[in-house]
Amino acid sequence: ETGVTQSPTHLIKTRGQQVTLRCSSQSGHNTVSWYQQALGQGPQFIFQYYREEENGRGNFPPRFSGLQFPNYSSELNVNALELDDSALYLCASSLEGSGANVLTFGAGSRLTVL
Amino acid sequence: GDSVTQMEGPVTLSEEAFLTINCTYTATGYPSLFWYVQYPGEGLQLLLKATKADDKGSNKGFEATYRKETTSFHLEKGSVQVSDSAVYFCALSDRGSSNTGKLIFGQGTTLQVKP
């Protein structure tokens, strides 16, 4: 079975720009979560998508938005980039209803905002 | 709100030494507890988990016991190897207070094992 894949692996943007990050879920998983991991910190929950709808959101402003597609892949969009948005963005997939929330993480997309 | 606190690193050990990484949590419900490991340049990998009090999670020689009375989930390994060098994250998932099953992570503890 394939794992979680993310693209791009690295990218550089400037303040005020917009970025789209992509994620393909592990085969058989129907739920996607996104996390932001600042340098030297633990991942912070951004939001989760289930059945193509947002199903829970962390303490992130509306300029962070997402999509989930019928094939369970997902996008994270960030508008009006700020310097503090520089981080590793992790996508994780899981199977809703499988019990304890065991997430499978991708390797991440490292965003640098200049 | 729910939170996880880990011992600060880095933790530097010699090969074959005993490892303990402390983790305590605060939660309103009955969380599941996890340890994830992150190797350089990679995403997080689930190391072990425990879903209820007194459960012991184990994997690859690592163990952690869910202690409700002390709200702790300390990670231990009897004999570390150089290949265990990584960042270790303790996390909780409290589905009782939220249907999302989101994970709340500690800040991570870097382990360096020297030959």
Side-chain angles (χ1 to χ4, degrees):
Chain A
E1 64 183 16
T2 57
V4 176
T5 58
Q6 294 186 241
S7 63
T9 54
H10 296 82
L11 69 166
I12 299 173
K13 294 284 188 178
T14 57
R15 275 187 304 175
Q17 286 189 312
Q18 178 267 344
V19 67
T20 297
L21 308 178
R22 296 178 176 83
C23 171
S24 293
S25 302
Q26 178 167 309
S27 177
H29 285 182
N30 57 13
T31 302
V32 174
S33 304
W34 286 90
Y35 289 78
Q36 181 195 66
Q37 186 180 13
L39 196 62
Q41 301 295 316
Q44 298 288 319
F45 176 74
I46 302 175
F47 43 54
Q48 181 185 80
Y49 277 81
Y50 172 62
R51 291 183 175 175
E52 302 177 47
E53 292 190 358
E54 189 179 288
N55 178 37
R57 188 179 185 91
N59 188 27
F60 282 82
R63 60 190 185 84
F64 286 77
S65 63
L67 288 171
Q68 185 184 31
F69 300 99
N71 66 354
Y72 305 124
S73 65
S74 177
E75 289 182 354
L76 165 65
N77 298 287
V78 187
N79 294 321
L81 284 167
E82 301 176 359
L83 296 179
D84 285 348
D85 295 333
S86 295
L88 180 68
Y89 288 86
L90 296 167
C91 171
S93 69
S94 58
L95 180 61
E96 181 66 16
S98 62
N101 191 39
V102 177
L103 304 185
T104 301
F105 282 85
S109 294
R110 184 164 297 282
L111 171 65
T112 301
V113 182
L114 302 177
Chain B
D2 295 355
S3 65
V4 175
T5 301
Q6 294 181 232
M7 63 186 289
E8 291 193 15
V11 173
T12 303
L13 296 173
S14 298
E15 209 165 21
E16 299 184 2
F18 184 85
L19 168 70
T20 299
I21 300 179
N22 290 338
C23 171
T24 57
Y25 68 90
T26 302
T28 54
Y30 302 95
S32 296
L33 301 174
F34 306 82
W35 278 99
Y36 278 83
V37 58
Q38 187 174 36
Y39 297 101
E42 299 184 14
L44 280 74
Q45 300 174 24
L46 178 65
L47 183 58
L48 53 85
K49 65 179 173 73
T51 58
K52 62 183 186 297
D54 300 325
D55 269 2
K56 177 185 284 188
S58 61
N59 185 29
K60 300 180 181 179
F62 291 90
E63 293 183 339
T65 300
Y66 188 143
R67 301 287 189 198
K68 189 169 183 289
E69 63 276 11
T70 55
T71 62
S72 65
F73 192 56
H74 305 322
L75 182 68
E76 297 181 337
K77 187 175 185 182
S79 175
V80 294
Q81 306 299 314
V82 172
S83 58
D84 293 327
S85 298
V87 182
Y88 292 81
F89 292 93
C90 184
L92 71 81
S93 173
D94 188 356
R95 297 188 74 94
S97 62
S98 165
N99 196 37
T100 66
K102 73 178 184 182
L103 289 179
I104 296 171
F105 287 89
Q107 72 272 31
T109 302
T110 299
L111 171 64
Q112 299 174 339
V113 180
K114 299 186 175 181

